[in-house]
Amino acid sequence: MTAPILSKLSELRTLTRDWQRKEEVIGVVPTMGALHQGHLSLVEAAKSGCDRVIVTIFVNPKQFNNPEDLANYPRTELEDAQKLLPYKVDAIYVPDPDEIYPQGFSTTVTLGGLTDVMEGPFRPRHFEGVATVVAKLFLQTQADRAYFGEKDYQQLLVVRRMARDLDIPIEVIGCPTVREPSGLAMSSRNLRLSQEGLAIAAHKHAIMKRTAAKLSAGHDFAELAEQAKIDLIRAGFTEIEYFDLRCAETLEALTKASRPARLFVTAWADGVRLIDNIAVDPA
Ligand code: PAF
């Protein structure tokens, strides 16, 4: 049976009320569509942890700080629904824009701390847009569990913090990044890379892993970061926005892998902004 594609909150509520009456555990996978294996791995995790799974598809204008990026964002709903078929999800919620931002909508969810670093300064108001739409999707779906990829690790922490701060009764679950055989983290943006761009991008994961291994062996970050940046530029990256070692829980900057940490890199290749991060075991 194909999952119903719903565009109205009232239709979604009819389903979720019924599931809640039966005490079924509801999982949600929030997406902006253009589904790839990374999203599908979240759907798989939701299917194995929940009785009912809702996939949401909404290209959220409030989280784009670049209008061109929003205009170019791939919109592939029919293909997305096809890709979801084998997973037998219970609903695909593709809300009409005014179900999310009705006339006169004037509430914004803002977080401090976690949003002050990395993506925050480079993408002003991005996390406000994410936190606002995700809060709405959590409340609209009434889900008990939500699944997010660790590829957007900062987003995962922001969303978890937001749910805790606002007492939204939902468990936010982080799932491992899915990678191409080359190590490149799966992302809708990869579609914009040429063959040459893909070859350049493929170097990033190897450079990150090398750096992470040396950090776990006790080396200082500063020197390793300099070398890694040189390696990235040699590989063909044109700009490195940040290359940071941070605490995996608080995102506080670290000079050594003195506790569970993540290495975060955002760099441009072939005109595409590529973000990635990996876990670093403490030294
Ligand atoms: O990661 C994404 O695709 C988006 O930021 C999200 C969480 C669906 C919110 O629009």
Side-chain angles (χ1 to χ4, degrees):
M1 205 184 67
T2 57
I5 301 180
L6 311 172
S7 58
K8 298 284 175 218
L9 175 57
S10 55
E11 301 167 325
L12 181 68
R13 281 270 156 88
T14 305
L15 286 182
T16 53
R17 261 199 295 266
D18 181 43
W19 297 339
Q20 284 176 320
R21 215 176 13 247
K22 294 191 258 176
E23 297 192 0
E24 291 176 324
V25 174
I26 303 173
V28 65
V29 180
T31 80
M32 296 206 296
L35 301 184
H36 51 66
Q37 207 47 49
H39 297 111
L40 298 175
S41 73
L42 303 180
V43 174
E44 251 171 59
K47 284 288 296 186
S48 65
C50 307
D51 301 310
R52 300 287 180 175
V53 174
I54 305 168
V55 175
T56 70
I57 300 179
F58 180 67
V59 181
N60 173 32
K62 285 198 193 291
Q63 70 186 75
F64 287 82
N65 44 308
N66 175 350
E68 219 178 293
D69 220 13
L70 173 61
N72 289 336
Y73 203 85
R75 287 161 171 86
T76 55
E77 273 158 33
L78 286 181
E79 286 103 309
D80 291 341
Q82 290 287 332
K83 285 182 191 161
L84 289 169
L85 267 180
Y87 297 88
K88 299 188 169 39
V89 300
D90 298 278
I92 304 173
Y93 182 47
V94 189
D96 288 344
D98 63 359
E99 292 288 356
I100 300 291
Y101 301 123
Q103 187 72 31
F105 184 84
S106 44
T107 299
T108 301
V109 180
T110 311
L111 289 88
L114 290 173
T115 61
D116 295 340
V117 296
M118 298 194 295
E119 293 299 289
F122 281 99
R123 302 176 72 186
R125 303 179 71 89
H126 167 71
F127 284 122
E128 278 185 15
V130 170
T132 304
V133 81
V134 172
K136 287 215 56 151
L137 292 171
F138 283 179
L139 295 168
Q140 291 195 346
T141 59
Q142 301 277 299
D144 303 288
R145 296 188 185 143
Y147 294 80
F148 289 84
E150 285 183 344
K151 177 180 161 276
D152 294 303
Y153 193 86
Q154 190 175 10
Q155 167 175 280
L156 167 67
L157 294 190
V158 165
V159 163
R160 194 175 274 153
R161 182 80 259 162
M162 175 277 292
R164 275 187 202 154
D165 287 356
L166 298 182
D167 299 320
I168 301 179
I170 193 163
E171 186 187 354
V172 175
I173 296 163
C175 300
T177 302
V178 179
R179 298 182 180 277
E180 302 287 354
S182 68
L184 176 63
M186 289 206 184
S187 161
S188 321
R189 286 167 187 257
N190 297 355
L191 293 173
R192 297 195 219 151
L193 289 167
S194 65
Q195 283 306 315
E196 197 193 340
L198 282 168
I200 296 170
H203 287 275
K204 182 141 62 109
H205 188 231
I207 295 171
M208 292 170 73
K209 277 205 312 194
R210 215 157 49 223
T211 309
K214 289 195 177 147
L215 284 163
S216 298
H219 291 259
D220 280 338
F221 180 56
E223 223 171 278
L224 294 176
E226 278 323 299
Q227 186 55 53
K229 285 182 196 170
I230 293 169
D231 293 345
L232 285 167
I233 298 292
R234 277 205 191 120
F237 282 88
T238 48
E239 190 189 336
I240 300 155
E241 287 188 356
Y242 56 83
F243 190 100
D244 289 3
L245 177 70
R246 293 184 177 272
C247 168
E249 258 180 54
T250 62
L251 298 187
E252 187 189 325
L254 301 177
T255 54
K256 269 178 168 294
S258 46
R259 52 189 137 140
R262 313 260 332 171
L263 188 60
F264 294 91
V265 184
T266 289
W268 289 76
D270 198 21
V272 182
R273 186 174 187 270
L274 296 169
I275 93 168
D276 202 351
N277 72 89
I278 58 173
V280 182
D281 293 329

